[in-house]
Amino acid sequence: MTLVKFNNRTRNTAPYFNNVFDSLFSEAINKNLTVNKVPGVNILESATDYKIEVAAPGLSKEDFQINVKKDTLSVWAEKKEVATEDKKDYTRREFDYFSFARSFVLPESVDADKITAEYVNGILNISIGKKDESQSSTKEIKVS
C-alpha cells in the first residue's frame, strides 16, 4: 500500500462558497441549542441547611418565581424584552431573552418555613433549612 500526501493549497487561500452555507447552518443550529439551555446548578449540604446555587446572569430578582408544593421546589424565570422607541440598524443581533424552569425534590428533613432566596452577581442563592433533630427523633427497637 502506498501513501500519497495530499496538499490542497487552494482550499486555504481561495474563498469557498460552501463556507457561507456552513457558517449560516452552524449559526442556526447554535441558536436553536442555546434557546432551551437550562442554567447550571450547585447543591451544597451542611449540618443546618441545604443551599442551591443557580447560575442565571443577566436577570433581575423580579424575573424569578420560586414555589414549594409538597416535597417539590420549583424555580422558574422569564426575561421579557421591553419595547423601546430607540431603533437601531443592527447588522447582527445576538442578545437573547429566555425563560427556564427547574424542579428539585426535597428530602423529608427540610423545613419549608425556613426557605430563603437571594440574587447576587448573577447567581440565585436558595437556602433551605433543615428540621430540628428534636422534631425528627429516632427510636431504636430491640429485637426480642
Side-chain angles (χ1 to χ4, degrees), residues 4-52:
V4 177
K5 186 175 179 183
F6 182 75
N7 188 2
N8 189 356
R9 292 183 189 171
T10 59
R11 182 174 187 140
N12 294 332
T13 59
Y16 262 88
F17 191 67
N18 289 338
N19 288 344
V20 174
F21 290 112
D22 290 343
S23 66
L24 290 175
F25 186 65
S26 66
E27 286 176 10
I29 289 175
N30 288 338
K31 187 172 183 181
N32 287 337
L33 290 177
T34 57
V35 169
N36 296 325
K37 188 172 182 180
V38 177
V41 173
N42 294 333
I43 300 176
L44 309 162
E45 181 180 4
S46 68
T48 58
D49 63 356
Y50 296 98
K51 292 194 186 298
I52 299 176

Side-chain angles (χ1 to χ4, degrees), residues 3-132:
L3 293 176
V4 177
K5 186 175 179 183
F6 182 75
N7 188 2
N8 189 356
R9 292 183 189 171
T10 59
R11 182 174 187 140
N12 294 332
T13 59
Y16 262 88
F17 191 67
N18 289 338
N19 288 344
V20 174
F21 290 112
D22 290 343
S23 66
L24 290 175
F25 186 65
S26 66
E27 286 176 10
I29 289 175
N30 288 338
K31 187 172 183 181
N32 287 337
L33 290 177
T34 57
V35 169
N36 296 325
K37 188 172 182 180
V38 177
V41 173
N42 294 333
I43 300 176
L44 309 162
E45 181 180 4
S46 68
T48 58
D49 63 356
Y50 296 98
K51 292 194 186 298
I52 299 176
E53 300 172 342
V54 181
L59 298 173
S60 64
K61 65 181 182 178
E62 291 81 19
D63 295 330
F64 291 99
Q65 291 184 347
I66 302 171
N67 188 3
V68 177
K69 188 173 185 180
K70 292 188 179 181
D71 63 346
T72 303
L73 175 76
S74 300
V75 179
W76 62 93
E78 182 177 9
K79 180 72 174 180
K80 297 179 182 177
E81 185 175 356
V82 179
T84 60
E85 293 296 321
D86 185 23
K87 301 213 185 256
K88 298 178 183 178
D89 292 331
Y90 290 101
T91 302
R92 181 175 180 160
R93 187 170 180 185
E94 292 186 348
F95 289 156
D96 201 11
Y97 300 96
F98 65 97
S99 64
F100 72 88
R102 294 286 305 252
S103 294
F104 305 95
V105 177
L106 300 175
E108 293 179 6
S109 62
V110 166
D111 188 359
D113 295 330
K114 295 181 182 178
I115 298 177
T116 60
E118 182 181 28
Y119 184 67
V120 178
N121 296 331
I123 297 177
L124 176 65
N125 297 303
I126 302 171
S127 178
I128 305 166
K130 291 182 178 180
K131 291 180 182 176
D132 293 335

